[in-house]
Amino acid sequence: MADTLEFNEIYQEVKGSMNDGRLRLSRQGVIFKNSKTGKVDNIQASELAEGVWRRVALGHGLKLLTKNGHVYKYDGFRESEFDKLSDFFKAHYRLELAEKDLCVKGWNWGTVRFGGQLLSFDIGEQPVFEIPLSNVSQCTTGKNEVTLEFHQNDDAEVSLMEVRFYVPPTQEDGVDPVEAFAQNVLSKADVIQATGDAICIFRELQCLTPRGRYDIRIYPTFLHLHGKTFDYKIPYTTVLRLFLLPHKDQRQMFFVISLDPPIKQGQTRYHFLILLFSKDEDISLTLNMNEEEVEKRFEGRLTKNMSGSLYEMVSRVMKALVNRKITVPGNFQGHSGAQCITCSYKASSGLLYPLERGFIYVHKPPVHIRFDEISFVNFARGTTTTRSFDFEIETKQGTQYTFSSIEREEYGKLFDFVNAKKLNIKNRGLKEGMKQSYDEYADSDEDQHDAYLERMKEEGKIREENANDSSDGSGEETDESFNPGEEDDDVAEEFDSNASASSSSGDGDSDRDEKKPAKKAKIVKDRKPRKKQLESKKGKDPNAPKRPMSAYMLWLNANREKIKSDHPGISITDLSKKAGELWKAMSKEKKEEWDRKAEDARRDYEKAMKEYSVGSKSESSKAERSKKKKKKQEKQTKGKVEKKGASKSLSSSKSSAKSTNESFKSKEFVSSDESSSGESKKEDSEEEGGPSPPPSSEDSGSGSD
């Protein structure tokens, strides 16, 4: 038989909430680790008193009772695992794993039995329900009634507030059954009562969460925070972890107490109690116990009289009473030499401490993330500036934490720390000096994503180099490298016309004119290819042959329905992932079959494209001919319009010349000229058709007269 048994997906019942985790049974005892909080419950084999196997809501459950009265309930077992567990209990714990089923009659009348810290309501020999008395917060009595109130658990979807028992009166004298019932409950209930004197008191300590100054009274079983407005009583059993963290300024210290369940203030829950101390503050402490009691209870960890720094005294007392180790930062050192990193989380600035087994952020809101619950981390570029970056952590439960505004100088130290802890890194960040670390992770699952990032970074570098080259050169150099072609001629013509029109313009104006054409040319260059792309998209022929599919796409189309039937309810993204996995696992022979089909489709496509291109060329030639004809017609119409305009201008100039000549002609010539209208028409026609004849001798004579 194996020395250990391990079970995954086992649920522990805690105050009405089912906490999932892992259960391990060994020779030494039973260990359960909570997946959410990381809390470990360890039951020694020598402490086990009874084991019960029964059917519960989540299948089958195991109830363990210890000799000191504690009860532990674990659900989620399969029925077939009973024999294995029973044999293990017999061999290693020397216990019989008894089978007891719960009574499901639905009666509300029975007997109450008190066994250790468990109240059992039974009908006959079968239990109906059981109440761990440690969950009872208050017990009140009335006439023939006892009311139990319970501690609330925020993780439970439905909470039980109270239970009332009717206790019938008895004929026995001197014994009140109601009071006897209440005393049995209160003797084992977790009712915090500040009876007796405190072991020690720390006055006016600065508390960050909950905010304010509190007096801390240390009692044997709980911690009492007394403030001006609120009081909190914290049992030591609710303390998960203790942290002692140095502030970045090296003058203050954080003392963090992790709580589960948290303390409550209205609707606010405080999972962490954070105290802030100054390193320079000292205290002399005297415990309210005699030396023998101190030695017997704390076994040398504390003495009756102690002195030292305030934070040392508080941490030392808490460690002795809670009996848990204090976690301090490990070997990590940031760029400035501090053991923390300044960053922001949820719009508030704080400090992120890389620890040996997790990260903790203080202080608002405080966050503790263990390495074993981290799915991956991610280094991302800062959203506001390139001088900082973001550090993202995603847990296995899907919760994401983003710590932003981290200085760029901290990148190398943090990356080396994450690398040393062997955490899964989603990408490699954006630091140029970390190329070697990318090669170390070449076999990771994010290869495709990294290749894309590398390509984009190379393109970005090329753009930056081009931008730097263009900005370093002068305006003339940018014009020479542009080479716009036809637009260059247009720009030159505009410049020449401007120069001839304004000859009196100075050198400053000419410089401005030289800069303006360059800007226009750049705009034209940037926009032209976009117009061509739009035209090509708009002008795409729907009758053109479609491109052939690859071998993988042909296989996917043929097997898509089969994958859906094998995995009902699968999403589109999961279907594509599953198809990729199946394609990778496929043998070469089967892939060659689909490669041949893809090759045949490619040949058919090329043949169809040839036929399509021949037809499109003939159509394009016809279209070009029609365009040429239209252009010729437009030129002819433009020429006619220009000739008419020229003839009109010539006729107007002739008429003006005639009017000047007529002023020098004699009356006889004028009268004869007016009488012969036909001749004037001929002269007009001659003027329109060709050049005017030279003036006659009479005209010259009259002109001379």
Side-chain angles (χ1 to χ4, degrees), residues 78 231 259 420 486 526 604 615 695:
R78 292 189 292 271
D231 278 10
L259 303 173
E486 295 179 357
D526 291 340
D604 296 341

Side-chain angles (χ1 to χ4, degrees), residues 327-501:
T327 305
V328 296
N331 299 324
F332 176 81
Q333 277 196 346
H335 177 71
S336 60
Q339 293 179 300
C340 57
I341 296 172
T342 304
C343 61
S344 296
Y345 177 65
K346 289 189 176 180
S348 62
S349 180
L351 300 173
L352 179 67
Y353 290 85
L355 308 174
E356 286 301 317
R357 295 186 179 181
F359 295 96
I360 186 169
Y361 173 83
V362 290
H363 76 97
K364 193 175 181 181
V367 177
H368 179 238
I369 309 168
R370 306 186 316 276
F371 288 158
D372 57 3
E373 64 176 339
I374 294 177
S375 175
F376 61 82
V377 299
N378 180 21
F379 293 89
R381 186 188 295 276
T383 55
T384 56
T385 176
T386 57
R387 295 181 181 177
S388 64
F389 67 95
D390 296 349
F391 183 57
E392 300 171 355
I393 300 175
E394 185 164 331
T395 63
K396 294 174 183 177
Q397 286 80 20
T399 308
Q400 187 169 357
Y401 302 92
T402 302
F403 302 98
S404 57
S405 302
I406 303 176
E407 294 180 359
R408 192 178 181 86
E409 289 77 14
E410 303 284 1
Y411 181 91
K413 298 283 187 180
L414 185 57
F415 188 92
D416 293 341
F417 176 82
V418 171
N419 191 9
K421 296 301 179 183
K422 298 180 181 180
L423 297 177
N424 185 23
I425 304 174
K426 185 178 180 182
N427 63 16
R428 303 296 180 260
L430 299 167
K431 187 179 178 185
E432 296 177 0
M434 297 304 295
K435 288 182 180 177
Q436 293 180 354
S437 62
Y438 298 150
D439 298 335
E440 292 176 4
Y441 287 85
D443 296 332
S444 65
D445 295 335
E446 303 293 333
D447 287 342
Q448 296 179 359
H449 187 66
D450 292 340
Y452 175 73
L453 285 175
E454 291 295 329
R455 191 180 70 199
M456 295 302 293
K457 283 179 4 186
E458 288 176 3
E459 292 178 359
K461 287 179 184 177
I462 293 170
R463 288 196 212 100
E464 289 178 2
E465 289 174 1
N466 293 338
N468 292 333
D469 294 339
S470 62
S471 62
D472 293 341
S474 62
E476 294 177 357
E477 291 175 354
T478 54
D479 290 343
E480 288 176 3
S481 62
F482 175 55
N483 296 327
E486 295 179 357
E487 284 117 341
D488 232 354
D489 301 334
D490 298 338
V491 172
E493 287 175 5
E494 290 176 5
F495 175 73
D496 294 337
S497 63
N498 290 336
S500 61

Side-chain angles (χ1 to χ4, degrees), residues 496-637:
D496 294 337
S497 63
N498 290 336
S500 61
S502 59
S503 59
S504 61
S505 61
D507 294 335
D509 296 334
S510 64
D511 291 339
R512 290 175 190 168
D513 294 334
E514 287 175 3
K515 289 178 183 176
K516 285 179 181 176
K519 288 181 181 177
K520 289 180 182 177
K522 282 182 181 178
I523 293 168
V524 172
K525 182 184 176 185
D526 291 340
R527 289 183 179 176
K528 261 199 167 183
R530 292 180 187 173
K531 289 180 180 178
K532 288 179 180 178
Q533 288 175 4
L534 291 172
E535 288 174 2
S536 64
K537 285 182 181 178
K538 290 179 181 177
K540 188 174 181 180
D541 191 358
N543 298 323
K546 293 183 179 179
R547 290 183 177 275
M549 288 188 288
S550 63
Y552 169 72
M553 291 304 298
L554 290 171
W555 172 84
L556 179 60
N557 289 340
N559 293 273
R560 191 187 304 274
E561 296 300 326
K562 183 182 177 183
I563 297 172
K564 286 183 179 179
S565 62
D566 293 342
H567 302 83
I570 191 171
S571 62
I572 296 173
T573 54
D574 292 338
L575 188 144
S576 61
K577 288 180 182 178
K578 189 66 179 177
E581 294 174 0
L582 295 173
W583 177 257
K584 285 182 181 178
M586 192 183 294
S587 61
K588 290 184 179 180
E589 291 77 9
K590 291 184 179 180
K591 284 186 179 180
E592 287 176 358
E593 179 183 351
W594 292 102
D595 289 336
R596 286 193 296 270
K597 292 181 180 180
E599 184 66 23
D600 296 341
R602 186 182 63 80
R603 289 172 184 168
D604 296 341
Y605 170 74
E606 291 176 353
K607 184 178 179 181
M609 277 301 296
K610 286 180 182 178
E611 296 175 356
Y612 171 76
S613 59
V614 171
S616 60
K617 283 181 182 178
S618 61
E619 291 177 1
S620 62
S621 60
K622 290 179 181 178
E624 287 177 0
R625 288 173 188 172
S626 61
K627 285 182 181 179
K628 287 180 181 179
K629 287 181 180 180
K630 287 182 180 179
K631 286 182 179 179
K632 285 182 180 180
Q633 291 175 0
E634 289 175 356
K635 286 181 180 179
Q636 290 175 0
T637 54

Side-chain angles (χ1 to χ4, degrees), residues 657-674:
K658 279 183 179 181
S659 61
T660 53
N661 292 332
E662 283 173 358
S663 61
F664 297 101
K665 286 179 182 179
S666 61
K667 293 180 180 179
E668 294 174 358
F669 184 82
V670 171
S671 62
S672 64
D673 208 19
E674 288 175 353

